[in-house]
Amino acid sequence: MLMLTCPNCGVTGEESEFAPGGEAHLKRHGPGSSDEEFHAYLFAKENPRGVHFERWRHANGCGKWFHAARCTATLEVFGTYSAQTTEPPKDIKDKISAKRPGWSWREVE
Amino acid sequence: MKRYSAFAVAREAFRYHMGWERAWASPEPKKKYDAIIIGAGGHGLATAYYLGKNHGITNVAILEKGWLGGGNTGRNTTIIRSNYLQDPSAAMYEKSRSLYETLSQDLNYNIMFSPRGVMMLAQTQHEVRGYTRTAHANALQGVDTEFISPERVKELCPIMNIEGPRYPVLGALWQPRAGTARHDAVAWGLARACSAMGMDVIQKCEVTGIRQEGGKVSGVTTNRGDIACDKLGIVVAGHSGQLAEMAGFRLPIESVALQALVSEPIKPCMDVVVMANTVHGYMSQSDKGEMVIGGGADGFNNYTQRGSFHHIEETVRALCETFPVINRLKMLRQWGGIVDMTGDRSPILSKTPLGNCFINCGWGTGGFKATPGSGWGFAELMAKGQSPLCDEFSLDRFKEGRFIDESVAAGVAH
Ligand SMILES: Cc1cc2nc3c(=O)[nH]c(=O)nc-3n(C[C@H](O)[C@H](O)[C@H](O)COP(=O)(O)OP(=O)(O)OC[C@H]3O[C@@H](n4cnc5c(N)ncnc54)[C@H](O)[C@@H]3O)c2cc1C
Ligand SMILES: [Zn+2]
């Protein structure tokens, strides 16, 4: 069972308390962007087998959004953090680097 | 390849069954092939089969990292139907369903196709309208379906409680020619036919890199060495994102777990397939007597072939209300597969940004029914560079906004 800790209210719960919200840290493109950029924003998913950054909502709790860093191959959660950021905080990145040698932030853009 | 027949069974009976040969060979990879297919699931094998049968291309290798049909092909709940809403889907799925009708004879291998009929229950007014619309669309497409009354539903499936307090059955979309088939047999029969045409089905051969020269594919790197090829077909379902990354592009796909379970075997009590999309569950009875049950896909990216327990719980809870007789049954087995979900819930059969590299993926929760049709179309695409069956399913439909929206028609996994 997947356990997550909501960084907004501090509650740790099992996954049925949370609603998954897809890939995080997307660069939003809108009017004025090229077709390529807009397509990439909407559809081109990273979908990695490994470290994944994603949005979650504490749906049956405080109701707020947050981010999680998780491994899709083992279901290990590296940590959760505020949704008000464009990239993961340093402590989360360091933790992932320690556990997944060779990993680096956004090597595939 | 020796043919299977009643005569062969009799002949072997007289010599202690010592004369049966291996169904397919286990060759070492050659240095180069005309075409390589990555993934020996149903779709990869069907592609190879029709490359040989329809286009005379037999210098083909099918590379499989695990064992034959060990992916979603061997994990699905085997529902075969073609009552989709959009024209391109109806063309593809109906082609496939009709190929299933004669596949046992074509392959000389019993795939146990059982056209027992599939009904999709309407349990809200919204669904009544939706399925009536689908029935009309199917009539125009030449797909034989019908919207039936609750009384007819009860007649076809007496164990169903059509007066459920929360979701009474208001009717159903009924496709009498739909049904099920034995999933392993589909993979095995196709592999045997491919092997008989001289193709190499190579198991325990994982592709780890895709080599290219001047914008075109030149071969693959595997755990059993480099293998060159003129054309490459990527047919790896849940792992499509990984292979696309090796080839240098991204896909509009997310990989998630989809689960299913079977009950302990009981006497025959249900001879149709029932899908209940509103409550996210569906059920049929296998030839062994187990109730085969599936539900919706899990919500987050996952490559572990294990899903979350609460999804199974929700599915079973809903089905217990619709089928009170299953209340006391014990669960025998539960498992998961990694399905490749696209945004419009339709597959991708397409050229890719890399020359001579083609991709067949995005079948998500419902590709078993499409196995022969997908192979038929994709083989044509690989052989000729174009296929009427695949045209609409190209990768650039997402960029161009040409979605083939089946997410409403197929609210549940199947
Ligand atoms: C629980 C469940 C229930 C389902 N129920 C139904 C249903 O009732 N009806 C229906 O129509 N569909 C159903 N489906 C969907 C259906 O199973 C799939 O759409 C279909 O089987 C996909 O076939 P495939 O050949 O594309 O993929 P797979 O059978 O998954 O084959 C892909 C193969 O590629 C191999 N591979 C991956 N990476 C590599 C690599 N790097 N190198 C070499 N090989 C590689 C894998 O090992 C695998 O064997 C269900 C799926 C699941 C999981
Ligand atoms: Zn919270």
Side-chain angles (χ1 to χ4, degrees), chain B residues 32-343:
Chain B
K32 177 167 189 292
Y33 294 89
D34 292 344
I36 289 181
I37 307 291
I38 310 176
H43 288 248
L45 291 163
T47 302
Y49 174 66
Y50 289 114
L51 271 177
K53 192 173 175 219
N54 293 355
H55 306 283
I57 302 172
T58 54
N59 183 18
V60 175
I62 306 116
L63 310 180
E64 167 56 50
K65 73 169 176 172
W67 65 96
L68 257 180
N72 294 344
T73 297
R75 295 164 187 270
N76 75 85
T77 46
T78 77
I79 299 177
I80 296 169
R81 60 182 183 91
S82 60
N83 52 354
Y84 282 69
L85 180 63
Q86 312 291 351
D87 291 349
S89 326
M92 171 61 89
Y93 290 104
E94 177 64 7
K95 171 75 185 169
S96 196
R97 194 204 53 76
S98 63
L99 285 170
Y100 263 120
E101 286 186 335
T102 55
L103 199 59
S104 293
Q105 289 79 353
D106 293 346
L107 297 176
N108 178 234
Y109 201 95
N110 188 3
I111 60 147
M112 298 164 84
F113 178 55
S114 160
R116 59 184 69 182
V118 172
M119 63 169 81
M120 295 164 79
L121 302 183
Q123 292 176 288
T124 62
Q125 288 299 337
H126 178 76
E127 271 185 313
V128 172
R129 278 193 290 273
Y131 287 144
T132 315
R133 178 183 175 207
T134 306
H136 289 318
N138 290 161
L140 292 172
Q141 292 151 348
V143 177
D144 187 12
T145 65
E146 181 189 352
F147 190 81
I148 57 173
S149 66
E151 294 71 38
R152 180 98 172 95
V153 169
K154 183 79 184 170
E155 208 177 287
L156 286 162
C157 184
I159 64 167
M160 198 189 308
N161 169 22
I162 61 169
E163 276 131 32
R166 185 151 149 80
Y167 291 118
V169 174
L170 306 173
L173 182 64
W174 170 236
Q175 184 176 22
R177 293 184 182 201
T180 60
R182 169 103 200 269
H183 50 13
D184 297 322
V186 171
W188 297 338
L190 285 166
R192 175 168 170 266
C194 288
S195 187
M197 284 189 277
M199 297 181 181
D200 289 352
V201 183
I202 305 168
Q203 303 181 68
K204 294 188 209 151
C205 180
E206 177 167 5
V207 173
T208 52
I210 293 178
R211 292 184 296 134
Q212 34 182 297
E213 259 163 45
K216 285 197 180 133
V217 71
S218 62
V220 294
T221 308
T222 77
N223 59 346
R224 295 171 68 169
D226 288 355
I227 313 175
C229 66
D230 293 333
K231 288 183 180 173
L232 181 68
I234 303 175
V235 199
V236 295
H239 292 82
S240 299
Q242 277 186 295
L243 272 294
E245 197 190 323
M246 292 176 201
F249 56 95
R250 275 198 192 179
L251 290 170
I253 281 192
E254 298 204 76
S255 299
V256 299
L258 176 67
Q259 306 175 75
L261 65 141
V262 292
S263 73
E264 57 189 322
I266 54 174
K267 289 197 172 165
C269 65
M270 177 179 175
D271 61 1
V272 294
V273 181
V274 176
M275 304 176 57
N277 291 359
T278 289
V279 296
H280 274 277
Y282 59 86
M283 188 165 87
S284 64
Q285 189 168 22
S286 75
D287 294 339
K288 285 183 280 183
E290 304 151 335
M291 306 310 288
V292 182
I293 294 175
D298 288 20
F300 53 82
N301 297 45
N302 186 346
Y303 281 84
T304 64
Q305 294 186 328
R306 324 198 266 268
S308 307
F309 179 71
H310 66 97
H311 281 111
I312 288 289
E313 198 178 16
E314 281 157 18
T315 299
V316 171
R317 194 195 300 141
L319 288 177
C320 281
E321 199 174 291
T322 313
F323 302 95
V325 297
I326 67 168
N327 254 316
R328 300 286 182 91
L329 289 184
K330 292 192 190 83
M331 184 175 90
L332 196 64
R333 287 194 307 281
Q334 171 273 345
W335 64 92
I338 299 305
V339 294
D340 39 341
M341 307 289 274
T342 58

Side-chain angles (χ1 to χ4, degrees), chain A residues 6 8-11 58 61-64:
Chain A
C6 173
N8 298 305
C9 66
V11 165
H58 195 183
C62 72
K64 298 219 161 45

